[in-house]
Amino acid sequence: SFSLPRILVRSKLSHTCSHKCPPDPFFACLDAKAIQLSMSSHILGHVANAVMLVSTGLFWLPLLLPRSFPYISSQSYAKEGFCVMDPPEAPLLNSHLLCFYFDTLAAAAFALLPSSMMRYSGVSKLRTNAVGIFGHGVGHLFLYLNSPLSSASSFLDQPLHMQVAILLFSISFFYMFFLSIPPLPKAHVAPLAILAGVPLNTLIPPQLSFSYVQTVLLCTSCFYESVQRDKPTHYTSYSVIVHLPVSFVGWLEGTRCDEWVRSVGGHLIYDAAIPISLVLFACWRVWVGKLEVEEEEGKKTEAGVSQVGEKAKGE
């Protein structure tokens, strides 16, 4: 059962981390000199989150201002807001339906995780994200049944009472989701819900509304995780393993849709990236947690042996 990464991590844990172990040893024990300092101050996690936020901002510029920032090369993505595979001979393989299938299965798997895994730091995020992932999939099912390009009418064309109702619904929607983000202070929930809900109906094109909602929720969570004072031990590994891949896959979908992304499922690659990244994060946390337990048991064994030796010498 020996493996090189395991030997490296255990070796570094015993030699470098016995002196000062960083709060989240994501790669820190593989290259102590290069990464240990960054990990101990959460710098690597901050960098990952900053890259994700900046990348997301740059991605949205050409979608909202295509003439000023014409660097989203996939015209179909800019038009529809998604990279959609829709084979006429197989309608059940539409990208939105594939996302619904995948998200439903992933949410069920996360909800049914054994309680024994919850003792590892951060693994509970899979279970708490199950409802959101399923809701995301249901949103894709709705988009398949009701295309925003064909059914949505202009917000400004609605009667006043409908405009008020739509705004209240959007603000309430964001309010409920923001309440579920632990690092978000309660005093910030209502103002942020207003700031996010009003543009959804007044500024964002209908075909981009679904992507806008997901982007706002992800970026809000990412930002407040970065600025909270008491960060969890899994802060850095979650930022690197989960946040970064999602932003990179978004760029692939937006810039390579017409070239090859549509042929391999379209938007499915983005939806799949989120649960897959969460699974990889959980595997890492379980692995590191078991190593930490082994190290602790080893220290106790060594302490017990030394105590026996001292007693033997005294006798």
Side-chain angles (χ1 to χ4, degrees), residues 117 120-121 123 281-292:
M117 292 185 63
Y120 299 106
S121 174
V123 176
F281 164 75
C283 291
W284 171 261
R285 292 306 308 167
V286 169
W287 184 49
V288 169
K290 289 183 176 180
L291 289 178
E292 291 172 347

Side-chain angles (χ1 to χ4, degrees), residues 50-64 69 71 215 219 247 251:
V51 169
M52 184 269 179
L53 292 172
V54 172
S55 173
T56 301
L58 292 175
F59 183 81
W60 269 87
L61 282 177
L63 296 178
L64 298 177
F69 304 93
Y71 54 80
T215 300
C219 289
S247 61
W251 275 95

Side-chain angles (χ1 to χ4, degrees), residues 30-54:
L30 298 181
D31 189 357
K33 291 183 179 180
I35 303 178
Q36 187 174 7
L37 179 60
S38 297
M39 293 302 305
S40 63
S41 58
H42 298 299
I43 292 178
L44 188 57
H46 292 331
V47 170
N49 284 333
V51 169
M52 184 269 179
L53 292 172
V54 172

Side-chain angles (χ1 to χ4, degrees), residues 3 11 30 94 178 294:
S3 63
S11 175
L30 298 181
N94 178 280
F178 288 153
E294 291 180 6

Side-chain angles (χ1 to χ4, degrees), residues 53 57 208 239:
L53 292 172
L208 299 178
S239 301

Side-chain angles (χ1 to χ4, degrees), residues 201-282:
N201 300 287
T202 58
L203 298 176
I204 304 300
Q207 70 272 21
L208 299 178
S209 58
F210 189 77
S211 299
Y212 169 80
V213 170
Q214 298 304 317
T215 300
V216 168
L217 296 178
L218 182 61
C219 289
T220 302
S221 175
C222 178
F223 174 77
Y224 277 93
E225 286 177 3
S226 299
V227 299
Q228 65 176 327
R229 291 185 177 180
D230 299 324
K231 293 179 173 57
T233 58
H234 57 266
Y235 165 74
T236 296
S237 56
Y238 189 83
S239 301
V240 173
I241 299 176
V242 178
H243 286 164
L244 275 184
V246 171
S247 61
F248 293 150
V249 173
W251 275 95
L252 276 180
E253 181 186 2
T255 59
R256 295 293 178 264
C257 174
D258 298 330
E259 295 181 11
W260 59 271
V261 172
R262 181 187 286 110
S263 62
V264 297
H267 186 72
L268 176 64
I269 69 167
Y270 181 89
D271 262 40
I274 300 173
I276 290 174
S277 297
L278 285 169
V279 169
L280 293 176
F281 164 75

Side-chain angles (χ1 to χ4, degrees), residues 166-204:
I166 293 172
L167 284 176
L168 290 177
F169 175 80
S170 300
I171 293 171
S172 300
F173 171 83
F174 280 108
Y175 184 86
M176 295 304 296
F177 266 97
F178 288 153
L179 282 177
S180 66
I181 299 177
L184 187 58
K186 295 297 185 287
H188 295 188
V189 172
L192 285 176
I194 296 173
L195 289 175
V198 173
L200 173 61
N201 300 287
T202 58
L203 298 176
I204 304 300

